[in-house]
Amino acid sequence: MSILKRGNQYVSLVAGRLSFKDLMLFTCPMSLDKYLKTWGSEAEKMVYPYTKFKSIEEMRKCVEFPPIEDFLTDKSINPQIYEKCKSMFDQKMSLPEADPEKWRNFEDYLKFYNLSDVGPTAVALQRQFDIFKVCFITL
């Protein structure tokens, strides 16, 4: 496995024949949130405390949503989105043990956080390519 990282950002991850690259390396220089809004995706970028956890074990021990200060790194975050994420975390954590939607720790939030980018990004990317085809490809 080969991993390239720049600061807190994973730029490339290669495992065998699979290669994952950060889409934002191939677009205009902007945040994912701005990219989604530019190309008409309705999703909001969620929040994640990138510098809080040093290991997956630490994340698995975390059963309370970290304070907003843990989310503030080199840029500010929207307090309303923080509260939305915290509320969702608390709601999922409070579900009954037998509920398949129940979260057990912050690792479950990380899975949600990562997956919450995929669908909206695919929509935005498709819209970008649709416009590219209309403007630049002549048949």
Side-chain angles (χ1 to χ4, degrees), residues 69-83:
E69 296 78 23
D70 289 347
F71 291 79
L72 302 172
T73 55
D74 58 338
K75 59 182 177 181
S76 63
I77 63 167
N78 183 330
Q80 293 166 323
I81 294 177
Y82 168 83
E83 287 299 328

Side-chain angles (χ1 to χ4, degrees), residues 40-121:
S41 180
E42 300 295 320
E44 294 176 301
K45 180 75 173 128
M46 299 289 112
V47 296
Y48 186 79
Y50 290 101
T51 58
K52 177 158 180 68
F53 302 105
K54 303 288 183 241
S55 69
I56 193 73
E57 289 77 23
E58 280 184 38
M59 197 178 301
R60 288 177 179 150
K61 290 178 186 173
C62 180
V63 294
E64 293 183 7
F65 205 73
I68 195 167
E69 296 78 23
D70 289 347
F71 291 79
L72 302 172
T73 55
D74 58 338
K75 59 182 177 181
S76 63
I77 63 167
N78 183 330
Q80 293 166 323
I81 294 177
Y82 168 83
E83 287 299 328
K84 180 179 174 181
C85 293
K86 181 182 184 315
S87 176
M88 179 181 35
F89 179 85
D90 293 343
Q91 186 268 329
K92 295 280 191 175
M93 290 290 290
S94 68
L95 291 172
E97 287 299 320
D99 192 316
E101 297 292 317
K102 179 176 178 56
W103 287 356
R104 296 184 176 8
N105 53 46
F106 208 76
E107 180 184 19
D108 290 323
Y109 177 81
L110 174 62
K111 290 174 187 174
F112 161 79
Y113 173 80
N114 287 327
L115 291 173
S116 71
D117 288 346
V118 175
T121 302

